[in-house]
Each structure stands twice: as structure tokens, then as C-alpha cells.
Amino acid sequence: MIEAVFFDLDGTVANTNELIYQSFKRMFTDKMKMEVEDAEIYSLFGEPLTTSLLKYQEDITDIMDYYRTYNAEHHDAMVTSFVGVEEALKALKENGLKLGIVTSKREAMARRSLSCLGLLDYFDVIVTPEYTEKHKPQPDPLWKACELAGGIDPKNTIMVGDATYDILCGNSAGATTVAVSYSVIAPEVLKAANPHYTVDDLRELLQIIEEKNSEARSTYV
């Protein structure tokens, strides 16, 4: 039976796609004097910022500060919610499910995003890079979320995300994985991560959970 649903934050619950894109774009062009293709920038979505920046140089202090300063200054004006998100979260909570965020974003900024959208109180658990030594696509962040949610078996959870790292993390942890079709990641790339489901709207999770729970109940009959 599904007991908890864990979500990636950026690009899944919070529409920060343009904010993240512009933060990288300005960092590359203004700070590093580099021209980077959009597809390459989008490929960085979903992984910890440190991991992304180390691909370009060893000492990342200055460029990380530049990225984070730009991101923080423009965050509140650029963060929005996707259609149906709050309705889905409310319905899931009303059905007794634990909800959590599993993100590569730092905790302070993750909470800031959720607060801006009025969604913070829906979540029982927020797992950020500060909580585990290994990050997505490794399973550790989802395992940590299960632990913090009360020791839930990962097999009784759903992991929802817009990036391959989210799906790989969930699959490795033993969760049911759901990709969102509104991802900026190319559909074929996201599909290659082998999500169990793909949805256009988070409200579709309710039907998926009902189907999986019905299957589980029939097993015990």
C-alpha cells in the first residue's frame, strides 16, 4: 500500500525552470565568459549545484557565489506553481498520505520556494543535500525521507520528479517512480530513466495510488 509520496521541488512542484536557466546562463556568460548551449544547461537540472559546477572548473567558490546571488535576488519574482499542484497536495493529505520533498536544493532555499507558493505546510519531510552524504541519483535521499517520515518502507512510496536523477534515485531506492511530462528535459532522455508512470498533472497521482492500492488489496484477499 502506498503510504507516502515524495516530490522533487524544482521543475516538479515549483516552476523555477526559467530562474535556474537564467542563473546558469548569467553565470556562464557574465562570470565565466562562456557560451553554453541550452541543452547542456538543461542537462544540469536536478543535480546538486556543486556537482554541476565541478564539471567546469576545480575552484568553484566564485562561480557558485555568482549563481547563488543571482538566484536569490530573482527568486521570489520568478518562482511560480504548476497547475493543479496545490489541489493534488491537498487531496493526497486528505487521503492520509505522508508528503515529502526530496531535492538537490539547499534547505533554506527549498523552504523559501515552498513558502512563496504557500505550500510549505503540506509537507511532513524535506530532505536536502545537507541531510545525506550521497545525493540523487543515489537512493540515499529517498531512504532518508522514508526514515524521517516514520520508517516507511520505500516500496510503499512514490517518487515524483522532472529529471532523470529523480527517477534513478526512486528506482534505486525501490519506490514507484513518476515522471512529469512538463519537464524541460527531453522526453526521450527522461523515458530512458525508466519511470513507472508519466503524468501531465500531479492530480493524476490520485488515480495511480488508487490503482496500486487496489492491486495490493487484491493480493491479500
Side-chain angles (χ1 to χ4, degrees):
M1 301 288 283
I2 300 299
E3 300 177 53
V5 184
F6 299 118
F7 299 86
D8 173 55
L9 178 57
D10 293 312
T12 301
V13 170
N15 186 353
T16 52
N17 290 331
E18 184 63 18
L19 172 64
I20 294 171
Y21 170 81
Q22 290 296 340
S23 298
F24 274 120
K25 190 72 171 177
R26 298 276 67 79
M27 181 199 72
F28 284 128
T29 59
D30 300 344
K31 183 67 175 176
M32 302 179 70
K33 310 303 181 185
M34 292 175 58
E35 288 298 327
V36 177
E37 295 292 330
D38 288 356
E40 183 174 341
I41 293 176
Y42 289 134
S43 74
L44 305 174
F45 282 37
E47 64 185 14
L49 182 60
T50 299
T51 302
S52 299
L53 300 187
L54 284 171
K55 296 175 181 178
Y56 298 93
Q57 60 186 53
E58 292 183 10
D59 185 353
I60 61 173
T61 302
D62 286 347
I63 59 174
M64 179 177 287
D65 287 346
Y66 194 93
Y67 177 101
R68 286 178 170 170
T69 298
Y70 182 96
N71 190 278
E73 288 178 351
H74 295 82
H75 175 276
D76 294 4
M78 295 183 73
V79 63
T80 60
S81 184
F82 292 105
V83 173
V85 169
E86 185 165 14
E87 185 179 339
L89 296 176
K90 183 178 180 181
L92 292 168
K93 290 294 286 186
E94 289 175 347
N95 279 274
L97 290 151
K98 293 284 185 71
L99 302 183
I101 291 289
V102 178
T103 178
S104 296
K105 196 171 195 171
R106 292 175 300 155
E107 183 170 11
M109 290 302 293
R111 290 183 178 276
R112 180 172 165 182
S113 293
L114 293 169
S115 295
C116 284
L117 300 175
L119 302 177
L120 184 60
D121 289 344
Y122 285 105
F123 294 99
D124 305 286
V125 173
I126 298 176
V127 173
T128 63
E130 295 96 325
Y131 285 73
T132 58
E133 290 186 9
K134 296 181 180 179
H135 311 297
K136 293 186 286 187
Q138 300 302 317
D140 302 54
L142 195 143
W143 286 341
K144 186 64 175 181
C146 289
E147 175 191 329
L148 295 175
I152 295 173
D153 188 329
K155 294 180 180 178
N156 295 332
T157 71
I158 289 177
M159 177 67 199
V160 187
D162 69 307
T164 56
Y165 273 29
D166 305 315
I167 305 307
L168 294 172
C169 170
N171 286 344
S172 296
T176 296
T177 51
V178 177
V180 295
S181 65
Y182 49 83
S183 171
V184 296
I185 307 299
E188 63 273 16
V189 174
L190 199 53
K191 184 178 180 180
N194 296 314
H196 295 98
Y197 300 89
T198 299
V199 298
D200 300 319
D201 186 307
L202 293 187
R203 288 171 287 192
E204 295 173 51
L205 292 170
L206 295 162
Q207 182 61 37
I208 291 173
I209 291 168
E210 177 56 34
E211 290 174 1
K212 290 192 68 64
N213 287 347
S214 293
E215 293 174 3
R217 283 191 291 267
S218 66
T219 301
Y220 292 108
V221 173

